[in-house]
């Protein structure tokens, strides 16, 4: 099975719901130290500021068994468009083994994920995502590159902005870049 402890992590949140309905989100990152650890959590890069995108960095020191909750936002700390690569991911580096859980909070809504370290990631994935019955919220998938010059081949089960169903296309991402796929159709597959 996969181990959810490690020293380096990259992840991103997906957009969801409408901020005009349930307000601006906040993001929490829970870090549990399995051994003494100096931890730095970064969202985006300093270059984001010149582009009008968010950038934030927090550092903490933890002792074995200690858990700390870091808060990011409020704000839209995720990609809202499809078809472009942006530095909108979280990067966590630790001097010791840690576990991370990430939470996205809004009025009437929250979501949480156990984050896998980079060493536990693979190179082939299937998406489980659906649009709502009223087709008002998108089906979506988010890809985060863990290293520079990452080529990702995507074959969608539905028509998306980038390609027809069943037609593969390739994107190139650098470490920390996020690519979001949105569709009002179910892109599971």
């Amino acid at each position: 099975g996969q181990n959810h402890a490690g020293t380096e992590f990259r992840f991103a949140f997906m957009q969801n719901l409408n901020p005009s309905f349930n307000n601006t989100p906040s993001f929490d990152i829970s870090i549990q130290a399995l051994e003494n650890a100096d931890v730095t959590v970064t969202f985006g890069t300093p270059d984001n500021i010149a582009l009008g995108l968010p950038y934030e960095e927090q550092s903490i020191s933890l002792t074995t068994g200690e858990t700390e909750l870091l808060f990011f936002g409020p704000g839209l700390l995720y990609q809202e468009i499809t078809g472009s690569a942006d530095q909108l991911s979280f990067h966590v580096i630790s001097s010791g083994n840690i576990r991370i859980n990430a939470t996205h909070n809004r009025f009437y809504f929250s979501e949480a994920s156990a984050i896998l370290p980079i060493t536990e990631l693979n190179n082939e994935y299937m998406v489980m995502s659906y649009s709502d019955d009223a087709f008002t919220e998108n089906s979506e998938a988010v890809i985060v590159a863990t290293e520079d010059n990452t080529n990702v081949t995507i074959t969608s089960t539905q028509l998306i902005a980038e390609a027809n169903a069943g037609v593969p296309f390739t994107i190139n991402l650098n470490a920390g870049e996020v690519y979001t796929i949105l569709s009002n159709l179910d892109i599971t597959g």
Side-chain angles (χ1 to χ4, degrees), residues 73-143:
L76 300 180
L77 302 183
Y78 51 77
Q79 192 175 41
E80 294 185 274
I81 59 172
T82 188
S84 70
D86 297 304
Q87 284 283 350
L88 296 172
S89 67
F90 287 85
H91 187 204
V92 180
I93 297 179
S94 176
S95 63
N97 280 310
I98 59 174
R99 286 193 181 112
I100 296 178
N101 292 297
T103 307
H104 175 177
N105 296 298
R106 290 188 185 188
F107 289 147
Y108 317 114
F109 173 86
S110 66
E111 65 179 339
S113 298
I115 306 300
L116 294 174
I118 288 175
T119 56
E120 294 296 311
L121 301 178
N122 204 329
N123 60 7
E124 198 169 306
Y125 295 91
M126 291 189 71
V127 170
M128 293 187 67
S129 180
Y130 67 95
S131 59
D132 67 1
D133 292 336
F135 300 105
T136 58
E137 300 298 330
N138 288 316
S139 176
E140 62 188 294
V142 172
I143 299 163

Side-chain angles (χ1 to χ4, degrees), residues 1-14:
Q2 290 182 310
N3 182 358
H4 132 215
T7 58
E8 185 176 11
F9 304 77
R10 282 200 186 267
F11 63 96
F13 288 95
M14 292 190 288

Side-chain angles (χ1 to χ4, degrees), residues 4-185:
H4 132 215
T7 58
E8 185 176 11
F9 304 77
R10 282 200 186 267
F11 63 96
F13 288 95
M14 292 190 288
Q15 76 170 3
N16 56 50
L17 303 179
N18 184 334
S20 65
F21 169 72
N22 60 345
N23 287 344
T24 304
S26 64
F27 301 88
D28 310 338
I29 301 183
S30 174
I31 302 172
Q32 177 191 22
L34 303 179
E35 55 194 27
N36 292 343
D38 294 319
V39 182
T40 299
V41 181
T42 306
F43 177 80
T45 69
D47 293 339
N48 279 9
I49 296 168
L51 300 171
L53 297 172
Y55 169 74
E56 190 173 346
E57 183 173 294
Q58 297 182 37
S59 296
I60 56 170
S61 293
L62 300 171
T63 57
T64 302
E66 187 178 6
T67 299
E68 183 74 29
L69 190 61
L70 300 181
F71 299 95
F72 287 79
L76 300 180
L77 302 183
Y78 51 77
Q79 192 175 41
E80 294 185 274
I81 59 172
T82 188
S84 70
D86 297 304
Q87 284 283 350
L88 296 172
S89 67
F90 287 85
H91 187 204
V92 180
I93 297 179
S94 176
S95 63
N97 280 310
I98 59 174
R99 286 193 181 112
I100 296 178
N101 292 297
T103 307
H104 175 177
N105 296 298
R106 290 188 185 188
F107 289 147
Y108 317 114
F109 173 86
S110 66
E111 65 179 339
S113 298
I115 306 300
L116 294 174
I118 288 175
T119 56
E120 294 296 311
L121 301 178
N122 204 329
N123 60 7
E124 198 169 306
Y125 295 91
M126 291 189 71
V127 170
M128 293 187 67
S129 180
Y130 67 95
S131 59
D132 67 1
D133 292 336
F135 300 105
T136 58
E137 300 298 330
N138 288 316
S139 176
E140 62 188 294
V142 172
I143 299 163
V144 180
T146 60
E147 57 189 51
D148 287 341
N149 203 29
T150 299
N151 287 313
V152 179
T153 300
I154 301 164
T155 306
S156 178
T157 58
Q158 300 289 342
L159 172 68
I160 56 175
E162 297 84 350
N164 289 324
V167 177
F169 66 99
T170 301
I171 58 172
N172 183 276
L173 301 172
N174 288 318
E177 287 185 327
V178 175
Y179 190 90
T180 299
I181 299 167
L182 300 171
S183 176
N184 64 351
L185 302 171

